[in-house]
């Protein structure tokens, strides 16, 4: 919906951070379980049909021809929602869409070749990019795609009429912003430190720079509307404490949730929350039980996932296992509303919850 990835979204809360945000930044799971029930026990086989528009659309030279074959399995690489009902799932050379919250999916024309990531800002405007780093845009609901003006794209999120991206040569790429649907990008400056992660909520963008050589302490850049960037130290940075990674997510209600993976005499996690866009922080206890690759939140609940098979949820009774993707992990977790969210496994499995993470149903295409 974050991590060991060089640059990723910090959380899929960007699925719909204040309406119009695309989904952040991964063999079957036969018997995953939640604390109180069997996760996936209500999973259903969701049909995928060929769209009539897909059959009639003309693909650009950079995209494969539209698919009109019968529905088959899709290993999902990325997921994006702009509302609780309307979303898109990207497979290898395949793109499908739903308008009823994942109950049914319709096949669209093939996305640009080698596309591995998608973010949609509206029913008509979306973005796609792949390992080559070229960014593509559609303004006609994925019927066609054209270059969007950025290369070496590492991450991208969209919300509140803006699209944000980290793009450029590592280890210090630039932060870019443009109006949704446009290709005139504004360079907002270099990322703070190395391996930066991007999270957006409304018209606020958060970029966390991770621990660098030297060591360079991790820090946070906050871009609020058109105000000058606000450069903030992380609350966990004290003295010689080593903080190799600090995933950040934003709740559906705007609360900023941060977990520092602290390595001093021993490895531990420290959790923090901010209600004023990172200007000040309060301790959030208890922290996740494992060093998280990514975190996200909804009103009253916190979520964290790592490279192992577990997605954790913080409840009144402490951290509980919300979902297991046995033998794998999660690359993306986030919520469109306070009750509906998605989790994407590194094995291409897509899960949906409609009860705030208590139970999950696996989508099979």
């Amino acid at each position: 919906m974050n991590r060991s990835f060089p640059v990723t979204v910090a959380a899929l809360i960007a699925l719909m951070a204040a309406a119009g945000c695309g989904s952040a930044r991964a063999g079957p799971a036969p018997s995953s379980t939640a604390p109180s029930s069997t996760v996936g026990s209500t999973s259903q086989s969701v049909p995928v049909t060929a769209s009539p528009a897909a059959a009639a659309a003309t693909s650009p030279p950079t995209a494969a021809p539209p698919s009109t074959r019968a529905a088959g399995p899709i290993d999902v690489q990325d997921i994006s929602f702009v509302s609780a009902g309307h979303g898109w799932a990207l497979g290898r050379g395949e793109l499908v869409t739903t308008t009823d919250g994942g109950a049914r999916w319709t096949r669209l024309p093939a996305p640009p070749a080698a596309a591995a990531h998608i973010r949609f800002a509206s029913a008509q405007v979306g973005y796609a990019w792949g390992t080559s780093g070229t960014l593509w845009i559609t303004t006609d609901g994925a019927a066609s795609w054209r270059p969007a003006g950025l290369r070496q794209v590492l991450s991208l999120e969209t919300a509140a009429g803006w699209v944000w991206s980290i793009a450029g040569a590592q280890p210090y790429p630039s932060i870019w912003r443009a109006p949704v649907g446009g290709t005139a990008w504004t360079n907002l400056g270099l990322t703070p430190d190395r391996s930066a992660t991007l999270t957006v909520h409304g018209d606020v963008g958060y970029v966390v720079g991770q621990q660098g050589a030297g060591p360079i302490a991790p820090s946070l850049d906050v871009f609020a509307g058109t105000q000058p960037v606000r450069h903030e130290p992380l609350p966990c940075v004290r003295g010689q404490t080593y903080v190799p990674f600090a995933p950040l997510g934003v709740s559906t209600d705007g609360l900023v949730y941060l977990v520092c993976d602290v390595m001093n005499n021993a490895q531990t996690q420290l959790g923090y929350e901010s209600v004023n866009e990172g200007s000040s922080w309060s301790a959030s206890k208890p922290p996740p039980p494992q060093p998280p690759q990514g975190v996200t939140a909804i009103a009253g609940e916190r979520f964290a996932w790592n490279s192992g098979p577990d997605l954790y949820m913080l409840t009144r009774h402490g951290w509980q296992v919300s979902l297991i993707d046995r033998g794998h992990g999660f690359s993306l977790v986030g919520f469109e509303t306070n009750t509906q969210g998605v989790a994407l496994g590194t094995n291409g499995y897509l899960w949906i919850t409609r009860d705030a993470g208590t139970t999950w149903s696996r989508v099979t295409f």
Side-chain angles (χ1 to χ4, degrees), residues 75-135:
D75 290 331
V76 181
Q77 293 180 289
D78 210 350
I79 184 79
S80 180
F81 275 80
V82 296
S83 68
H86 204 167
W88 295 260
L90 175 70
R92 299 184 186 279
E94 298 178 285
L95 183 64
V96 296
T97 186
T98 179
T99 56
D100 55 12
R104 283 178 167 70
W105 297 81
T106 299
R107 197 177 303 277
L108 295 172
H117 302 282
I118 54 167
R119 293 292 184 271
F120 275 79
S122 68
Q124 297 299 313
V125 180
Y127 301 84
W129 68 102
T131 54
S132 64
T134 299
L135 181 65

Side-chain angles (χ1 to χ4, degrees), residues 284-306:
S284 173
K285 293 182 178 180
Q290 300 291 334
Q293 287 183 304
V295 298
T296 192
I298 58 177
E301 294 182 354
R302 312 289 177 257
F303 295 83
W305 61 97
N306 56 29

Side-chain angles (χ1 to χ4, degrees), residues 51-210:
S51 166
T58 301
S59 297
T62 54
S67 172
T68 56
R69 66 181 183 276
I74 297 176
D75 290 331
V76 181
Q77 293 180 289
D78 210 350
I79 184 79
S80 180
F81 275 80
V82 296
S83 68
H86 204 167
W88 295 260
L90 175 70
R92 299 184 186 279
E94 298 178 285
L95 183 64
V96 296
T97 186
T98 179
T99 56
D100 55 12
R104 283 178 167 70
W105 297 81
T106 299
R107 197 177 303 277
L108 295 172
H117 302 282
I118 54 167
R119 293 292 184 271
F120 275 79
S122 68
Q124 297 299 313
V125 180
Y127 301 84
W129 68 102
T131 54
S132 64
T134 299
L135 181 65
W136 299 87
I137 184 174
T138 178
T139 55
D140 55 12
S144 64
W145 298 82
R146 58 187 171 87
L150 284 183
R151 296 186 60 84
Q152 294 181 291
V153 173
L154 301 168
S155 62
L156 182 144
E157 298 296 340
T158 175
W162 292 101
V163 57
W164 305 73
S165 180
I166 294 179
Q170 295 197 61
Y172 297 104
S174 293
I175 305 164
W176 302 83
R177 185 175 61 191
V180 163
T183 57
W185 295 85
T186 299
N187 189 331
L188 303 178
L190 298 175
T191 55
D193 311 332
R194 300 186 178 190
S195 301
T197 57
L198 171 67
T199 307
V200 300
H201 182 85
D203 65 348
V204 182
Y206 300 89
V207 181
V208 179
Q210 310 302 326

